[in-house]
Every structure is written in C-alpha cells, then in structure tokens.
Amino acid sequence: TGATIKTIQEVAPAMGKKLGVGELQVQPTAPTAPTAPSGMVSAGAAVVPDATTIKQALSVATPELQQAIASIPVDKVNLPTLQRHIEADTLPVPVRLTEGQATGDVVKLSNEQNRRGKDPVLAQRFNEQNGQLVENLGLIRDKAAPDVYGTKKIENSQGIIDAYKELDTKLNTGINADYQALRDAAGGQFPVDAPKLLQNVEAKLKKELLSNEAPKGQFSELQRLAKDQNMTFEDYLSLRRNLGDIARTSQDGNTRKAASYMIEELEKLPLQKQAAALKPLADKARASARARFQMLEKDPAMKAAVDDIVPADKFIDKFVINGVNKNVQTMVNNLGRDSEAHQHMAAGTVNWLRDKAGVIDEKSNFSQKQYNDALKKLDDVNNLQEIFNQEAASKLKTLGNVANYTQFQPRGTFVNNSNTLVGALAQQAKNAVGTTVEGGLNLAVPGLQLGTSVMEMRARRASEAETRKSLELGAGTKQSGKNKLSDLGK
C-alpha cells in the first residue's frame, strides 16, 4: 500500500484472538476505476498477507465471495489466489474459477481438465466460463458506449465518419457566415486583392529560392485570377484546399515547401485598398477558415471522412486500432471525449477484440491468447487509454487476465488435449453406472470382487470430493503447511 502497516501477526495478539477474514468488517463498495483491488500484487508474488491489504482487496468483491472465505484466518490467506478470485468476481458477470485456475497449480490444472470427462460438472463449469467471457465482452462494450449501437465495426466506423461530416458542416457554416459578413460589408464582393496576393507569393518564393518549385497548376490559377482581378470566396477556398493537399502529399520536398509558403501568403488575405477598413472582419473570417484547414491537416481521420477517402469497413482499423497515438488523441479531442463518436471508437474496438477472440456468436469459443495479443497491441502504443475511459480499459484487461486463468496451460501441465483420456474416463463413468447392480450383488460374496468394489467406491468418493473442492467459491484461498506465504524467506 506504500505505507507502514501492522501485519495481522502484530494485530491479532493485541486483540486476544486469531482474526478470520469475515471479522475484518469489510464495507463493500462498487468498483469504479481499476477492477484490480488497490494494494494487490500480481499472482505468484511472495507476499505476507495482512489485514489492511485483504480488506482493501475484498472491498470490491461480491458478498458471495466475501462470505465464502469469511472463516479463513487472515494469516492463512493465499493472497495471489485471492487476487485471482477477486479479479474474476469483479467482472460484470462474475466468473467462478476452479482451484487449479485460481492457484495456478499445474497439477491441479491438469487433473481438473483431464477429469472433465469423468466428472461432467467440471466440463459444465468450463463451458459456463467460456459463455461468461463472451457475455462479459458484450457488457463491457455496452458500458463503454452506452449511447450508441453497433455490433459490427463497420457500423461504428460509419458513426465516426458521420460525426466528422457533421463537425465539418458546422465549421463550414461558421466560415461561410464570417465571409458573408465580409462580403456584405464590401457591397457583395469578396474584397481580396488578387494582383497583390500574386505579387506577395512571387516575392516570398523568390526570397526562399523556390520560384521554380511552385506547383505549376495552382500557380497558373493564381496568375489567371490576378489578371482578371476577380477572385471569389469559392476561388479562395479551392486554392487553399488544393495547395494544402500538395503541401501534404507531394513527393517532392521543395514543391511541398513552395505550396506551404503560398498558403502562408494566401492566409494573410490582402484586401483591396478601398476595403482596408474591413480588416477586422477579414481577420475573423481568415481565422475561422485557417482553424478548419489546420484541423484537417492535423487529423488524418477527419480528412479521410470529409473527403470519403477511406471506406467504412476499413476506417476503424486504419485510424483507431492501427492509428498513431498522437493521431488517436487528436481524433478524441476533435470529436469530443465521451461523445457519441468517441463511444463509437470504443464500441468498434471492442467489436474488433471480439472478432480477434474468435467470437462469432454467443456459443463461440473465446480464445484468450488471440484476445490478449490484440489487447496488448493497443496497450503497447497507449491507444487503449485514449480509446476507452479508465473503467472500460481496466475491465478489458481484467477480462484478459481471467480468460488467461481459465485457458492458459503453463509449462509443466499434462492436460490431455487430444481428449483420448477424457473420452476414456467418460466411458468408464458410463460403464460404472451399468455395473452398479452387479457390483452390489458381489458385496455379498467374500473375495476379490468385494475388495475391488470397496476400493472403487473409495476412489470414486475421493474423486468426487476433489471435484467439489475444486469447484468451491474461493477454492484454494486458504493455504496450509509449507505453502504458507508468511513462511517464505524464513
């Protein structure tokens, strides 16, 4: 926790008794930001459990989990195991881990998987977990994007494109209003001095030794407008837009520079002599137009949406999932954090994660590896925190952790993935039902059959007990013997 705290070994003697987890008087609180409890450590770390740390951890757990481990003495709590249970417990749909999954014990993990043919309740638990992972992904999406709808990326992409076009329409409306005010004040004419503009452009290019590098097409258009002394507002905007495209995309560096210098002079908006008094109106109009052009230049996604460059089926992949972090930040700033468009970014990304996890419908198998690989791709470039709010980003990471606990097979496991052993055990269990009567008759006859039946019964009961233990809520949280974390390092 970053502070000096008394461990339970110091606290308990003063209280005259040994505390249990249920005596910590935890006040459950609804988890908001990180789902992983404050003060917790990564599973597998060597830590000594103390009352403060456990109380913090349990504050976000469901009452069911709190009750399940309430009788465990604090100094007997396996903290990493408890952490895993709490992570799984704090998802929108709590996932109940088995003992092997919660402890990470390779032997328990392997035995649980291999017994699923003989003990159908294990198979049912694993199938239930898969369904919960799928369901949680959808619920996280709904919470991250409550005001928009879209179960496919293309729907969310179109939502972002439409938002950009609406934004650009509003900007253009404002720009047109500013220039209309300038035109009205000038008697209905656009009072730019085209010959003076050409003169300024030529002087600037000459000074920078780029006279021969100016984009010929647009320079010729400026010469024509200057000769006719008749530059309209529409001419001005088209010239600015075309030069902007050249300055951004030309393969020749000198041509890009020349276009940029032409834009600088264009934006100074030299007025005709008789319109000198209209400079304040001209400055306002120029500033609003400049703001839009700069926004388009700094936000590739906006440019693509406004100009219909990238189709909707590729938009989120290009600009959100594979977007450069600073560009994703720009998208969020321009569209508005937590706006519907920002929510479309989040929902579309969850739908992409859903596709990566192999989820086609609610009955699909959730692939933790593919999901976590995709999530890591976003997190590595800091896009996760831009696309999602803090709570959603944390829940997505928690979902990845829990999916890993339920599916990952660490080195040393001996899971029979070919299902030959699982199938054999299932058949053995089926045959046992058919021989129950015969086995019962053999009990009346002393000898081998009697002994065999008794041993089989004991083995079956032991197996059933082990399965029940594996499926208990909070299984593996109580540590014992040499595995006590408080003994580590002694």
Side-chain angles (χ1 to χ4, degrees):
T1 60
T4 302
I5 53 178
K6 292 183 178 181
T7 64
I8 192 61
Q9 288 81 0
E10 297 172 303
V11 176
M15 300 183 67
K17 63 176 181 178
K18 196 173 195 178
L19 290 178
V21 173
E23 297 174 87
L24 294 179
Q25 297 182 347
V26 175
Q27 297 298 322
T29 57
T32 52
T35 54
S38 173
M40 294 300 285
V41 295
S42 60
V47 293
V48 178
D50 60 78
T52 302
T53 303
I54 295 174
K55 182 176 180 179
Q56 290 173 337
L58 285 174
S59 67
V60 295
T62 60
E64 292 80 9
L65 180 58
Q66 291 185 29
Q67 182 179 359
I69 65 172
S71 61
I72 302 176
V74 173
D75 63 339
K76 297 288 187 181
V77 172
N78 186 316
L79 202 54
T81 297
L82 177 60
Q83 178 189 9
R84 288 189 171 193
H85 278 302
I86 291 177
E87 280 189 282
D89 193 60
T90 54
L91 286 170
V93 177
V95 177
R96 302 309 184 199
L97 301 178
T98 65
E99 183 178 9
Q101 293 167 348
T103 61
D105 186 303
V106 294
V107 176
K108 287 185 172 67
L109 274 172
S110 303
N111 286 335
E112 287 170 356
Q113 287 289 333
N114 292 337
R115 291 204 316 271
R116 68 187 186 276
K118 185 176 182 180
D119 296 330
V121 288
L122 284 168
Q124 291 169 3
R125 172 65 63 87
F126 299 143
N127 182 63
E128 180 183 79
Q129 289 174 342
N130 179 77
Q132 290 167 341
L133 294 176
V134 174
E135 187 177 0
N136 272 306
L137 195 53
L139 292 174
I140 293 173
R141 178 191 61 203
D142 295 344
K143 187 71 179 293
D147 302 320
V148 301
Y149 174 80
T151 58
K152 298 179 181 178
K153 281 187 305 175
I154 190 171
E155 297 169 337
N156 300 119
S157 290
Q158 191 61 55
I160 299 171
I161 292 171
D162 291 344
Y164 268 130
K165 289 186 174 182
E166 182 179 353
L167 171 62
D168 193 54
T169 297
K170 291 179 180 179
L171 292 173
N172 280 319
T173 298
I175 292 169
N176 289 336
D178 289 340
Y179 276 104
Q180 185 62 50
L182 177 61
R183 286 197 294 264
D184 291 344
Q189 300 296 317
F190 185 57
V192 66
D193 189 338
K196 180 62 175 174
L197 174 59
L198 176 60
Q199 182 182 343
N200 292 346
V201 167
E202 289 175 330
K204 180 66 174 180
L205 294 177
K206 182 177 180 180
K207 179 182 177 181
E208 301 295 336
L209 301 180
L210 290 171
S211 297
N212 295 323
E213 311 300 333
K216 292 181 173 52
Q218 295 307 300
F219 191 79
S220 295
E221 291 294 340
L222 178 57
Q223 289 176 317
R224 176 183 63 79
L225 293 169
K227 180 180 179 181
D228 296 341
Q229 297 188 29
N230 184 27
M231 177 180 282
T232 66
F233 173 54
E234 290 73 19
D235 293 333
Y236 176 84
L237 289 182
S238 295
L239 186 61
R240 174 62 177 81
R241 182 183 63 250
N242 294 340
L243 287 171
D245 289 340
I246 294 170
R248 187 177 62 257
T249 63
S250 176
Q251 298 296 315
D252 187 277
N254 286 332
T255 300
R256 292 197 302 272
K257 288 181 181 179
S260 295
Y261 288 132
M262 291 179 69
I263 290 172
E264 285 183 14
E265 297 303 321
L266 189 67
E267 290 181 342
K268 291 177 181 178
L269 201 64
L271 297 177
Q272 297 167 356
K273 291 182 179 180
Q274 63 271 27
L278 303 180
K279 186 176 184 301
L281 290 174
D283 288 344
K284 186 174 186 297
R286 180 181 60 192
S288 59
R290 180 180 176 82
R292 175 182 177 270
F293 286 129
Q294 288 181 333
M295 188 177 290
L296 287 169
E297 289 170 355
K298 292 180 180 180
D299 190 346
M302 181 177 180
K303 176 69 175 174
V306 170
D307 294 343
D308 290 318
I309 297 173
V310 178
D313 61 328
K314 295 180 174 61
F315 196 89
I316 279 183
D317 291 85
K318 181 176 179 64
F319 297 111
V320 180
I321 294 164
N322 296 309
V324 177
N325 180 253
K326 67 175 184 178
N327 291 340
V328 175
Q329 289 180 12
T330 300
M331 288 183 69
V332 175
N333 290 337
N334 287 340
L335 294 169
R337 186 165 293 278
D338 297 327
S339 65
E340 289 190 4
H342 187 202
Q343 291 181 40
H344 272 301
M345 292 173 64
T349 303
V350 174
N351 287 331
W352 174 75
L353 288 169
R354 182 183 174 94
D355 292 341
K356 287 297 181 181
V359 178
I360 299 174
D361 54 37
E362 301 307 314
K363 296 182 180 179
S364 299
N365 288 327
F366 188 106
S367 169
Q368 72 83 17
K369 184 181 186 308
Q370 293 175 193
Y371 172 84
N372 281 313
D373 285 348
L375 195 66
K376 184 176 184 297
K377 176 182 177 180
L378 295 174
D379 201 28
D380 283 349
V381 294
N382 293 325
N383 279 351
L384 194 66
Q385 63 188 28
E386 296 297 335
I387 299 170
F388 298 97
N389 58 42
Q390 186 179 8
E391 181 181 2
S394 182
K395 290 293 185 186
L396 288 170
K397 288 184 177 182
T398 298
L399 179 63
N401 289 342
V402 174
N404 179 279
Y405 302 152
T406 64
Q407 297 179 11
F408 181 62
Q409 296 177 11
R411 184 167 296 178
T413 54
F414 46 93
V415 177
N416 187 265
N417 291 311
S418 68
N419 287 325
T420 53
L421 174 62
V422 175
L425 289 175
Q427 185 61 43
Q428 184 181 28
K430 181 178 179 181
N431 292 341
V433 174
T435 59
T436 299
V437 176
E438 181 182 352
L441 292 175
N442 287 335
L443 290 176
V445 182
L448 181 61
Q449 291 299 318
L450 173 61
T452 301
S453 298
V454 170
M455 292 181 65
E456 288 177 349
M457 185 180 300
R458 287 175 178 173
R460 184 171 63 254
R461 288 176 177 173
S463 177
E464 290 173 351
E466 185 68 19
T467 296
R468 285 194 300 272
K469 182 170 175 287
S470 293
L471 296 178
E472 288 176 353
L473 180 56
T477 300
K478 183 178 180 180
Q479 58 189 358
S480 60
K482 295 181 180 180
N483 290 326
K484 277 179 56 177
L485 291 181
S486 57
D487 291 335
L488 291 175
K490 290 185 178 180

